[in-house]
Amino acid sequence: MRKIVIAGNWKMYKNQSEAKTFFSEFPTHLKATAPQAAIADQQILICVPYTNLSLLQTILPAIGQSNLSIGAQNVHWAENGAFTGEISASMLIEMGIKYVIIGHSERRQFFGETDETVNKRLKAAQAHGLTPILCVGESKQHRDANKTESWIFSQLAADLVDIDQHNLIIAYEPIWAIGTGDTCASTEANRVIGLIRGKLTYPNVTIQYGGSVKVDNIDEIMAQPEIDGVLVGGASLDPAGFARIVNYR
Ligand code: PGA
């Protein structure tokens, strides 16, 4: 049985007061949009800037939504050390954080992260009991050159060396669909995710789709058989919209 994980990625948005406002409104919207005999096993996750982690962990119990977690957007592989600007897995664990995004395309594109460092981060996260969300996906150039599959397979081969697939989430995020409004067709996302699953040793890994997920397309995306959730950037910033995404039909 594969677990459904609906995750938000706030990126570098929302200071503490904005985060508090979001969480004062989100639970009400969650209840208002809930259509289904709640999908009991569904995990809701919001990955926030480091500066919000501690604050939101203290707010969370009062919300009383046991399937809602706060996650981080990256983690370093070392236990500690002279790594200015980085955060270790034990620092996240100390705050009660359980999930962390690793290898997001923005980290790879703008901060020089490679498959090698992504693999090191994944290993460190798992060694501390964090569940990583590994992001993979092709650029427009790769897609246009018919290299989508080979690119993603090479990312998986390098990123997943010595990684425990039983404690892993993968997000398929085509780079050309991120923040562009240019969503990958849900059937195409389903196809690629099926191919990703075929490369895994543990086939029940939760595999999400990410890239311009919004209220308008969530129902169609979640209707696809291979897609076990979504990683939502821009549309996770709005409490009403994200609640509707969580409560897809
Ligand atoms: P987007 O971002 O939903 O704004 O396209 C997705 C992501 O980067 O994870």
Side-chain angles (χ1 to χ4, degrees), residues 26-82:
F26 183 56
T28 317
H29 291 296
L30 265 187
K31 285 191 190 79
T33 50
Q36 66 241 60
I39 305 171
D41 208 25
Q42 173 176 320
Q43 179 67 43
I44 312 168
L45 172 66
I46 305 186
C47 297
V48 301
Y50 292 128
T51 48
N52 288 331
L53 288 173
S54 180
L55 169 78
L56 295 179
Q57 285 293 84
T58 61
I59 287 177
L60 218 47
I63 294 176
Q65 182 84 30
S66 60
N67 59 343
L68 171 63
S69 297
I70 300 301
Q73 298 174 10
N74 205 359
V75 66
H76 195 263
W77 55 87
E79 192 51 41
N80 47 47

Side-chain angles (χ1 to χ4, degrees), residues 2-162:
R2 299 185 332 238
K3 195 176 172 84
I4 302 286
V5 182
I6 307 290
N9 171 15
W10 278 4
K11 310 194 178 186
M12 198 174 72
Y13 290 100
K14 293 197 193 289
N15 60 25
Q16 289 200 351
S17 72
E18 291 162 336
K20 267 196 229 170
T21 304
F22 178 97
F23 277 90
S24 69
E25 297 171 7
F26 183 56
T28 317
H29 291 296
L30 265 187
K31 285 191 190 79
T33 50
Q36 66 241 60
I39 305 171
D41 208 25
Q42 173 176 320
Q43 179 67 43
I44 312 168
L45 172 66
I46 305 186
C47 297
V48 301
Y50 292 128
T51 48
N52 288 331
L53 288 173
S54 180
L55 169 78
L56 295 179
Q57 285 293 84
T58 61
I59 287 177
L60 218 47
I63 294 176
Q65 182 84 30
S66 60
N67 59 343
L68 171 63
S69 297
I70 300 301
Q73 298 174 10
N74 205 359
V75 66
H76 195 263
W77 55 87
E79 192 51 41
N80 47 47
F83 300 108
T84 303
E86 294 283 331
I87 299 278
S88 74
S90 54
M91 291 171 182
L92 297 177
I93 289 289
E94 184 192 35
M95 285 188 285
I97 299 298
K98 297 196 179 72
Y99 296 89
V100 60
I101 297 173
I102 294 179
H104 190 280
S105 62
E106 286 153 14
R107 297 297 317 173
R108 297 180 191 252
Q109 258 182 298
F110 305 131
F111 300 96
E113 293 200 16
T114 62
D115 287 323
E116 191 192 349
T117 59
V118 166
N119 176 255
K120 286 165 92 167
R121 291 177 199 268
L122 287 169
K123 277 188 193 142
Q126 288 192 334
H128 286 82
L130 290 163
T131 300
I133 301 180
L134 164 65
C135 301
V136 296
E138 80 287 0
S139 64
K140 178 94 174 70
Q141 289 87 327
H142 286 126
R143 178 155 283 264
D144 290 347
N146 278 327
K147 292 196 170 131
T148 297
E149 291 81 0
S150 60
W151 175 258
I152 293 170
F153 293 166
S154 84
Q155 284 188 318
L156 289 172
D159 296 349
L160 292 180
V161 174
D162 294 331

Side-chain angles (χ1 to χ4, degrees), residues 9 11 101 104-106 135 173 177-181 210-214 231-236:
N9 171 15
K11 310 194 178 186
I101 297 173
H104 190 280
S105 62
E106 286 153 14
C135 301
E173 297 208 304
I178 294 178
T180 56
S212 296
V213 174
K214 38 193 185 265
L231 182 55
V232 187
S236 71

